[in-house]
Amino acid sequence: EDIYFRWPFGSFARLLRILSLLTTMFLPAIYLSMSNFHPEMLPTEFMLSLAAARERVPFPAIVTIIFLEIAFEFIRESSLRVPRIIGPTIGIVGAIIIGQAVVQANIVSPVMIIVMAVTVLAGFTMPQYVLFYSLRLVRLFVISLAAIFGFYGVL
């Protein structure tokens, strides 16, 4: 569909899709590896802010990432299965309610909600829905490698 745009707009759309592809595949894994294995790579104030946000969360980062992945999958699948009129509303309201509830219950840190929300939104920019399924599998594989090996697993 980019061939119908003038070249600056089409190139910008392609560049945005490539950036979103990299974001949806690698952002949770990079966050996981930086928070667990390589916190010295972050600026000190940012590292302290992340530590303060994770202070009251009893679960490791990999558990919260998997929990949020499953929650977003539930929201995505339920919004596809309900009638078209209320599907987007269920997705938006469900994400807001679940996000607020898990942060208040100290199950997930607010930073993790932001990372996963950006990851899921970046995945929605893919033009083919089949590609989005394969990206989810690659993302889970990279997350598991990052949980074991840190940045070496991401690479």
Side-chain angles (χ1 to χ4, degrees):
E1 66 191 29
D2 296 336
I3 61 172
Y4 299 112
F5 295 134
R6 292 187 179 272
W7 72 267
F9 304 119
S11 298
F12 177 73
R14 287 185 195 116
L15 184 65
L16 187 65
R17 283 195 200 106
I18 290 171
L19 181 66
S20 66
L21 174 91
L22 295 173
T23 300
T24 194
M25 281 192 337
F26 295 116
L27 184 63
I30 289 172
Y31 173 78
L32 181 65
S33 63
M34 287 182 92
S35 66
N36 286 352
F37 293 96
H38 309 287
E40 69 276 357
M41 294 181 73
L42 298 171
T44 306
E45 291 184 19
F46 185 59
M47 181 181 61
L48 292 174
S49 172
L50 285 178
R54 287 200 38 84
E55 181 180 7
R56 300 192 53 168
V57 176
F59 303 111
I62 184 68
V63 173
T64 58
I65 286 177
I66 291 172
F67 174 74
L68 287 176
E69 283 280 347
I70 292 170
F72 279 125
E73 290 300 319
F74 286 161
I75 291 171
R76 184 178 302 118
E77 289 298 321
S78 67
S79 67
L80 289 175
R81 305 288 182 253
V82 297
R84 295 258 184 234
I85 298 171
I86 60 171
T89 306
I90 286 178
I92 293 170
V93 172
I96 290 171
I97 290 172
I98 288 175
Q100 185 66 28
V102 296
V103 168
Q104 283 184 350
N106 291 326
I107 296 173
V108 176
S109 71
V111 177
M112 184 68 73
I113 293 283
I114 294 169
V115 167
M116 292 306 295
V118 168
T119 300
V120 170
L121 287 176
F124 283 137
T125 62
M126 295 300 112
Q128 296 176 341
Y129 197 69
V130 176
L131 177 64
F132 186 61
Y133 277 118
S134 60
L135 283 178
R136 285 189 271 184
L137 294 176
V138 170
R139 179 173 61 224
L140 290 175
F141 181 69
V142 173
I143 286 171
S144 63
L145 287 176
I148 298 170
F149 299 114
F151 266 132
Y152 296 115
V154 174
L155 294 176

